[in-house]
Amino acid sequence: MKTDIILAGVGGQGILSIAAALGSAALTNNLYMKQAETHGMSQRGGDVQSYMRISDKPIYSDLIAKGTADIILSVEPMEALRYLPFLRKGGYVVTNATPFINIPNYPDTEILSATLSALPHHVVIDADTIAKEATGNVRASNFVMLGAASPFIEIPFEYLEDGIRAIFARKGEEVVEMNLKGLRAGREFALKATNKQ
């Protein structure tokens, strides 16, 4: 069992919280995990990415080579395209449909959407809307994204739920429940979208 994931997005979108939940899920269940982060200009809306490698066997490098990532999990659609060269053949792109337009030459959103929809293995999800509907709070959109990627991550779903519980326990049950609802809503969307139910 092995999953190599590139997490991508823009500062403030919760990439590092996704990485923390994944890391907790792996380590508390006796899996091996390596992570390499690039924060960029996260406080100013700059791009943020993190490599996550999870396996049931020892991992010797925290970097993911081009053409080998199993999943690109992006909370911003343009950032999903930035990391496409890293995706292996048959790998999945799971991305939020909602753009974060923070540069003057941001690509045309219709072309961006068409490019993503043309990929052979993809889940494009309006995580902001789903988070609002499922939890009443758009801040859970990052865990909607993790939920949408969960069918393609080779660890049991309950491990991810436990990872969320572990990192948010100190913030109280209400915050834990909000993020779990987001996680489950994202998974349900992805299972329907890819006919994996």
Coordinates of all heavy atoms in Angstrom, one line a residue, residues 30-93:
N30 N 0.2 3.3 12.5 CA 1.5 2.5 12.2 C 1.8 2.5 10.7 O 2.4 1.5 10.2 CB 1.4 1.1 12.8 CG 1.2 1.2 14.3 OD1 1.9 1.9 15.0 ND2 0.2 0.4 14.8
L31 N 1.5 3.5 10.0 CA 2.0 3.6 8.6 C 3.2 4.5 8.6 O 3.4 5.3 9.5 CB 0.8 4.2 7.7 CG -0.4 3.3 7.6 CD1 -1.5 4.1 6.9 CD2 -0.1 2.0 6.9
Y32 N 4.0 4.4 7.5 CA 5.1 5.3 7.3 C 4.6 6.5 6.5 O 3.8 6.5 5.7 CB 6.2 4.6 6.5 CG 6.8 3.4 7.2 CD1 6.3 2.1 7.1 CD2 7.9 3.6 8.1 CE1 6.8 1.0 7.7 CE2 8.4 2.5 8.8 CZ 7.9 1.2 8.6 OH 8.4 0.2 9.3
M33 N 5.3 7.7 6.8 CA 4.9 8.9 6.2 C 6.1 9.8 6.1 O 6.9 9.9 7.0 CB 3.8 9.6 7.0 CG 3.1 10.8 6.3 SD 3.8 12.4 6.7 CE 3.6 12.6 8.4
K34 N 6.2 10.5 4.9 CA 7.2 11.5 4.7 C 6.5 12.7 4.1 O 5.6 12.5 3.3 CB 8.3 11.1 3.8 CG 9.2 10.0 4.3 CD 10.5 10.5 4.9 CE 11.4 9.4 5.3 NZ 12.4 9.8 6.2
Q35 N 6.9 13.9 4.5 CA 6.3 15.1 4.0 C 7.3 16.2 3.7 O 8.2 16.3 4.5 CB 5.3 15.6 5.1 CG 4.6 16.9 4.7 CD 3.7 17.5 5.8 OE1 3.7 17.0 6.9 NE2 3.0 18.5 5.4
A36 N 7.1 16.8 2.6 CA 8.0 18.0 2.3 C 7.1 19.1 2.0 O 6.2 19.0 1.1 CB 8.9 17.7 1.1
E37 N 7.3 20.3 2.6 CA 6.4 21.4 2.4 C 7.1 22.6 1.8 O 8.3 22.8 2.0 CB 5.8 21.9 3.7 CG 4.9 21.0 4.4 CD 4.4 21.5 5.7 OE1 4.8 22.6 6.1 OE2 3.7 20.8 6.4
T38 N 6.4 23.3 0.9 CA 6.9 24.6 0.4 C 5.8 25.6 0.7 O 4.7 25.5 0.2 CB 7.2 24.6 -1.1 OG1 8.1 23.6 -1.4 CG2 7.7 25.9 -1.6
H39 N 6.1 26.5 1.7 CA 5.0 27.4 2.1 C 4.9 28.6 1.1 O 3.8 29.1 1.0 CB 5.3 28.0 3.5 CG 5.3 26.9 4.5 ND1 4.1 26.5 5.1 CD2 6.3 26.1 5.0 CE1 4.4 25.6 6.0 NE2 5.7 25.3 6.0
G40 N 5.9 28.9 0.4 CA 5.8 30.1 -0.5 C 5.5 31.3 0.2 O 5.9 31.6 1.4
M41 N 4.6 32.1 -0.4 CA 4.2 33.4 0.3 C 2.8 33.2 0.8 O 1.8 33.9 0.4 CB 4.2 34.5 -0.7 CG 5.6 34.9 -1.2 SD 5.6 36.1 -2.4 CE 4.8 37.5 -1.6
S42 N 2.6 32.2 1.7 CA 1.3 31.8 2.1 C 0.5 32.9 2.8 O -0.7 33.0 2.7 CB 1.4 30.6 3.1 OG 2.1 30.9 4.2
Q43 N 1.1 33.8 3.5 CA 0.4 34.9 4.1 C -0.1 36.0 3.1 O -0.9 36.8 3.4 CB 1.3 35.6 5.2 CG 1.7 34.7 6.3 CD 0.4 34.1 7.0 OE1 -0.5 34.8 7.3 NE2 0.4 32.8 7.2
R44 N 0.4 35.9 1.9 CA 0.0 36.9 0.9 C -0.7 36.3 -0.3 O -0.8 36.9 -1.3 CB 1.3 37.6 0.4 CG 2.0 38.4 1.4 CD 3.1 39.3 0.8 NE 3.8 40.0 1.8 CZ 5.0 39.6 2.3 NH1 5.5 38.5 1.8 NH2 5.6 40.3 3.2
G45 N -1.3 35.1 -0.1 CA -2.0 34.5 -1.1 C -1.2 33.8 -2.2 O -1.6 33.5 -3.3
G46 N 0.1 33.6 -1.8 CA 1.0 32.9 -2.7 C 0.7 31.4 -2.8 O 0.0 30.9 -2.0
D47 N 1.3 30.7 -3.8 CA 1.1 29.3 -3.9 C 1.7 28.5 -2.7 O 2.8 28.9 -2.2 CB 1.5 28.7 -5.2 CG 3.0 28.7 -5.4 OD1 3.6 29.8 -5.4 OD2 3.6 27.7 -5.5
V48 N 1.0 27.5 -2.3 CA 1.5 26.6 -1.2 C 1.4 25.2 -1.7 O 0.4 24.8 -2.3 CB 0.7 26.8 0.1 CG1 1.1 25.8 1.2 CG2 0.7 28.2 0.6
Q49 N 2.4 24.4 -1.5 CA 2.3 22.9 -1.8 C 3.0 22.1 -0.8 O 3.9 22.6 -0.1 CB 2.6 22.7 -3.3 CG 3.9 22.6 -3.9 CD 5.2 22.1 -3.4 OE1 6.0 22.9 -3.0 NE2 5.4 20.8 -3.4
S50 N 2.5 20.9 -0.7 CA 3.1 19.9 0.2 C 3.1 18.5 -0.5 O 2.1 18.1 -1.1 CB 2.3 19.9 1.5 OG 2.8 19.0 2.4
Y51 N 4.3 17.8 -0.4 CA 4.3 16.5 -0.8 C 4.0 15.6 0.4 O 4.6 15.7 1.4 CB 5.7 16.1 -1.3 CG 6.2 16.8 -2.6 CD1 7.5 16.6 -3.1 CD2 5.3 17.6 -3.3 CE1 7.9 17.2 -4.2 CE2 5.8 18.2 -4.5 CZ 7.1 18.0 -4.9 OH 7.5 18.6 -6.1
M52 N 3.1 14.6 0.2 CA 2.8 13.6 1.2 C 3.0 12.2 0.6 O 2.4 11.9 -0.4 CB 1.3 13.8 1.7 CG 0.9 15.1 2.3 SD 1.6 15.2 4.0 CE 0.9 13.9 4.8
R53 N 3.8 11.5 1.3 CA 4.0 10.1 0.9 C 3.7 9.2 2.0 O 4.2 9.3 3.1 CB 5.5 9.9 0.5 CG 5.9 10.9 -0.6 CD 7.3 10.5 -1.2 NE 7.1 9.3 -2.0 CZ 8.1 8.4 -2.2 NH1 9.3 8.6 -1.6 NH2 7.9 7.3 -2.9
I54 N 2.7 8.3 1.8 CA 2.2 7.4 2.9 C 2.3 6.0 2.4 O 2.0 5.7 1.2 CB 0.7 7.7 3.2 CG1 0.6 9.2 3.7 CG2 0.2 6.7 4.2 CD1 -0.8 9.7 3.8
S55 N 2.8 5.1 3.2 CA 3.0 3.7 2.8 C 3.0 2.7 4.0 O 3.2 3.2 5.2 CB 4.4 3.5 2.1 OG 4.6 2.2 1.7
D56 N 2.8 1.5 3.8 CA 3.0 0.5 4.8 C 4.4 -0.1 4.9 O 4.7 -0.9 5.7 CB 1.9 -0.7 4.7 CG 2.0 -1.4 3.3 OD1 2.9 -1.0 2.5 OD2 1.3 -2.4 3.1
K57 N 5.3 0.5 4.0 CA 6.7 0.1 4.0 C 7.5 1.3 4.2 O 7.0 2.4 3.9 CB 7.0 -0.6 2.7 CG 6.3 -1.9 2.5 CD 6.7 -2.6 1.2 CE 6.1 -4.0 1.0 NZ 4.6 -4.0 1.1
P58 N 8.8 1.2 4.7 CA 9.6 2.4 4.9 C 9.7 3.3 3.6 O 9.8 2.7 2.5 CB 11.0 1.8 5.3 CG 10.6 0.5 5.9 CD 9.5 0.0 5.1
I59 N 9.8 4.6 3.8 CA 9.9 5.6 2.7 C 11.2 6.3 2.9 O 11.5 6.7 4.0 CB 8.8 6.6 2.8 CG1 7.4 5.9 2.7 CG2 8.9 7.6 1.7 CD1 6.2 6.8 3.1
Y60 N 12.0 6.4 1.9 CA 13.4 6.9 2.0 C 13.5 8.3 1.5 O 14.5 9.0 1.8 CB 14.4 6.0 1.3 CG 14.3 4.6 2.0 CD1 13.7 3.5 1.3 CD2 14.9 4.4 3.2 CE1 13.7 2.3 1.9 CE2 14.8 3.2 3.8 CZ 14.2 2.1 3.2 OH 14.1 0.9 3.8
S61 N 12.5 8.9 0.8 CA 12.6 10.2 0.3 C 11.3 10.9 0.5 O 10.2 10.3 0.4 CB 13.0 10.3 -1.2 OG 12.9 11.6 -1.7
D62 N 11.3 12.2 0.8 CA 10.1 12.9 1.0 C 9.6 13.6 -0.3 O 8.6 14.3 -0.3 CB 10.2 13.9 2.1 CG 11.3 14.9 2.0 OD1 12.0 14.9 0.9 OD2 11.6 15.7 2.9
L63 N 10.4 13.5 -1.3 CA 10.1 14.2 -2.6 C 9.4 13.2 -3.6 O 9.6 12.0 -3.5 CB 11.3 14.7 -3.3 CG 12.1 15.8 -2.5 CD1 13.3 16.3 -3.2 CD2 11.1 17.0 -2.2
I64 N 8.5 13.8 -4.4 CA 7.8 13.0 -5.4 C 8.3 13.4 -6.8 O 8.3 14.6 -7.1 CB 6.3 13.3 -5.3 CG1 5.8 12.8 -3.9 CG2 5.5 12.6 -6.4 CD1 4.3 13.2 -3.6
A65 N 8.8 12.4 -7.5 CA 9.4 12.7 -8.9 C 8.3 13.0 -9.9 O 7.1 12.5 -9.7 CB 10.2 11.5 -9.3
K66 N 8.6 13.7 -10.9 CA 7.6 13.9 -12.0 C 7.1 12.6 -12.5 O 7.9 11.6 -12.7 CB 8.3 14.8 -13.1 CG 8.4 16.2 -12.7 CD 8.9 17.1 -13.9 CE 8.9 18.5 -13.4 NZ 9.4 19.4 -14.5
G67 N 5.8 12.6 -12.8 CA 5.2 11.4 -13.4 C 5.0 10.2 -12.4 O 4.7 9.1 -12.9
T68 N 5.0 10.5 -11.1 CA 4.9 9.4 -10.1 C 3.8 9.7 -9.1 O 3.4 8.8 -8.3 CB 6.2 9.1 -9.4 OG1 6.5 10.2 -8.6 CG2 7.3 8.8 -10.4
A69 N 3.2 10.9 -9.0 CA 2.2 11.2 -8.0 C 0.9 10.4 -8.3 O 0.5 10.3 -9.4 CB 1.9 12.7 -7.9
D70 N 0.3 9.8 -7.3 CA -1.0 9.1 -7.4 C -2.1 10.1 -7.5 O -3.1 9.9 -8.1 CB -1.2 8.1 -6.3 CG -0.1 7.1 -6.2 OD1 0.0 6.3 -7.2 OD2 0.7 7.1 -5.2
I71 N -2.0 11.2 -6.7 CA -3.1 12.2 -6.6 C -2.5 13.6 -6.6 O -1.5 13.8 -5.9 CB -3.9 12.0 -5.3 CG1 -4.4 10.6 -5.2 CG2 -5.0 13.0 -5.2 CD1 -5.0 10.2 -3.8
I72 N -3.1 14.5 -7.3 CA -2.9 15.9 -7.1 C -4.2 16.4 -6.4 O -5.3 16.3 -7.0 CB -2.7 16.7 -8.4 CG1 -1.3 16.2 -9.0 CG2 -2.6 18.2 -8.1 CD1 -1.1 16.7 -10.4
L73 N -4.1 16.8 -5.2 CA -5.3 17.3 -4.4 C -5.1 18.8 -4.3 O -4.2 19.3 -3.6 CB -5.3 16.7 -3.0 CG -6.6 16.8 -2.2 CD1 -6.4 16.0 -0.9 CD2 -7.0 18.2 -1.9
S74 N -5.9 19.6 -5.1 CA -5.7 21.0 -5.1 C -7.0 21.7 -4.7 O -8.1 21.4 -5.1 CB -5.4 21.4 -6.6 OG -5.2 22.8 -6.6
V75 N -6.8 22.7 -3.8 CA -7.9 23.5 -3.3 C -8.1 24.7 -4.2 O -9.0 25.6 -3.9 CB -7.8 23.9 -1.9 CG1 -7.9 22.7 -1.0 CG2 -6.5 24.7 -1.6
E76 N -7.4 24.8 -5.4 CA -7.5 25.9 -6.3 C -7.3 25.3 -7.7 O -6.3 24.6 -7.9 CB -6.5 27.0 -5.9 CG -6.8 28.4 -6.4 CD -6.7 28.6 -7.9 OE1 -5.8 28.0 -8.5 OE2 -7.5 29.3 -8.4
P77 N -8.1 25.6 -8.7 CA -8.0 24.9 -10.0 C -6.7 25.2 -10.8 O -6.2 24.3 -11.4 CB -9.3 25.4 -10.8 CG -9.8 26.5 -10.0 CD -9.3 26.4 -8.6
M78 N -6.3 26.4 -10.8 CA -5.0 26.7 -11.5 C -3.9 26.0 -10.9 O -3.0 25.5 -11.6 CB -4.8 28.2 -11.6 CG -3.6 28.6 -12.5 SD -3.1 30.3 -12.5 CE -2.3 30.5 -10.9
E79 N -3.8 25.9 -9.6 CA -2.7 25.2 -8.9 C -2.8 23.7 -9.3 O -1.7 23.1 -9.3 CB -2.8 25.4 -7.4 CG -2.6 26.8 -7.0 CD -1.2 27.4 -7.4 OE1 -0.2 26.6 -7.4 OE2 -1.2 28.6 -7.8
A80 N -3.9 23.1 -9.6 CA -4.0 21.7 -10.0 C -3.2 21.5 -11.3 O -2.5 20.6 -11.5 CB -5.4 21.3 -10.2
L81 N -3.4 22.5 -12.2 CA -2.7 22.4 -13.5 C -1.2 22.6 -13.4 O -0.4 22.0 -14.1 CB -3.3 23.4 -14.5 CG -4.7 23.2 -14.9 CD1 -5.2 24.3 -15.9 CD2 -5.0 21.9 -15.5
R82 N -0.8 23.4 -12.5 CA 0.6 23.7 -12.3 C 1.4 22.4 -12.0 O 2.5 22.2 -12.4 CB 0.8 24.6 -11.1 CG 2.3 25.1 -10.9 CD 2.4 25.8 -9.5 NE 1.6 27.0 -9.4 CZ 2.0 28.2 -9.7 NH1 3.1 28.4 -10.2 NH2 1.1 29.2 -9.4
Y83 N 0.8 21.4 -11.3 CA 1.4 20.2 -10.9 C 1.1 19.0 -11.7 O 1.6 17.9 -11.4 CB 1.2 19.9 -9.4 CG 1.8 21.0 -8.5 CD1 1.0 22.1 -8.0 CD2 3.2 21.0 -8.3 CE1 1.6 23.1 -7.3 CE2 3.7 22.1 -7.6 CZ 3.0 23.1 -7.1 OH 3.5 24.1 -6.4
L84 N 0.4 19.2 -12.8 CA 0.1 18.0 -13.7 C 1.3 17.2 -14.2 O 1.2 16.0 -14.3 CB -0.7 18.5 -14.9 CG -2.2 18.6 -14.8 CD1 -2.8 19.0 -16.1 CD2 -2.8 17.3 -14.3
P85 N 2.4 17.8 -14.4 CA 3.6 17.0 -14.8 C 4.0 16.0 -13.8 O 4.7 15.0 -14.1 CB 4.7 18.1 -15.1 CG 4.0 19.3 -15.3 CD 2.7 19.3 -14.5
F86 N 3.6 16.1 -12.6 CA 4.0 15.2 -11.5 C 3.0 14.0 -11.5 O 3.4 13.0 -10.8 CB 4.0 15.9 -10.1 CG 5.1 16.8 -10.0 CD1 5.0 18.1 -10.4 CD2 6.3 16.4 -9.4 CE1 6.1 19.0 -10.2 CE2 7.4 17.2 -9.2 CZ 7.3 18.5 -9.6
L87 N 1.9 14.1 -12.1 CA 0.9 13.0 -12.0 C 1.3 11.8 -12.8 O 1.7 11.9 -14.0 CB -0.5 13.5 -12.5 CG -1.7 12.7 -12.2 CD1 -2.0 12.6 -10.7 CD2 -2.9 13.2 -12.9
R88 N 1.1 10.6 -12.2 CA 1.4 9.4 -13.0 C 0.3 9.0 -13.9 O -0.9 9.5 -13.7 CB 1.6 8.2 -12.0 CG 0.4 7.7 -11.3 CD 0.6 6.4 -10.6 NE -0.5 6.0 -9.7 CZ -1.6 5.5 -10.2 NH1 -1.8 5.3 -11.5 NH2 -2.6 5.2 -9.3
K89 N 0.5 8.2 -14.9 CA -0.5 7.8 -15.8 C -1.5 7.0 -15.0 O -1.2 6.1 -14.2 CB 0.0 6.9 -16.9 CG -1.0 6.5 -18.0 CD -0.3 5.7 -19.1 CE -1.4 5.4 -20.1 NZ -0.8 4.7 -21.2
G90 N -2.8 7.3 -15.0 CA -3.8 6.7 -14.2 C -4.1 7.3 -12.9 O -5.0 6.9 -12.2
G91 N -3.3 8.4 -12.6 CA -3.5 9.1 -11.3 C -4.7 10.0 -11.4 O -5.2 10.3 -12.5
Y92 N -5.1 10.5 -10.2 CA -6.3 11.3 -10.1 C -5.9 12.8 -9.8 O -5.1 13.0 -9.0 CB -7.2 10.8 -9.0 CG -8.4 10.0 -9.6 CD1 -8.2 8.6 -9.8 CD2 -9.6 10.5 -9.9 CE1 -9.2 7.8 -10.3 CE2 -10.6 9.8 -10.5 CZ -10.4 8.4 -10.6 OH -11.4 7.7 -11.2
V93 N -6.7 13.7 -10.4 CA -6.6 15.1 -10.1 C -8.0 15.4 -9.3 O -9.0 15.1 -9.9 CB -6.5 16.1 -11.3 CG1 -6.7 17.5 -10.9 CG2 -5.2 15.9 -12.0

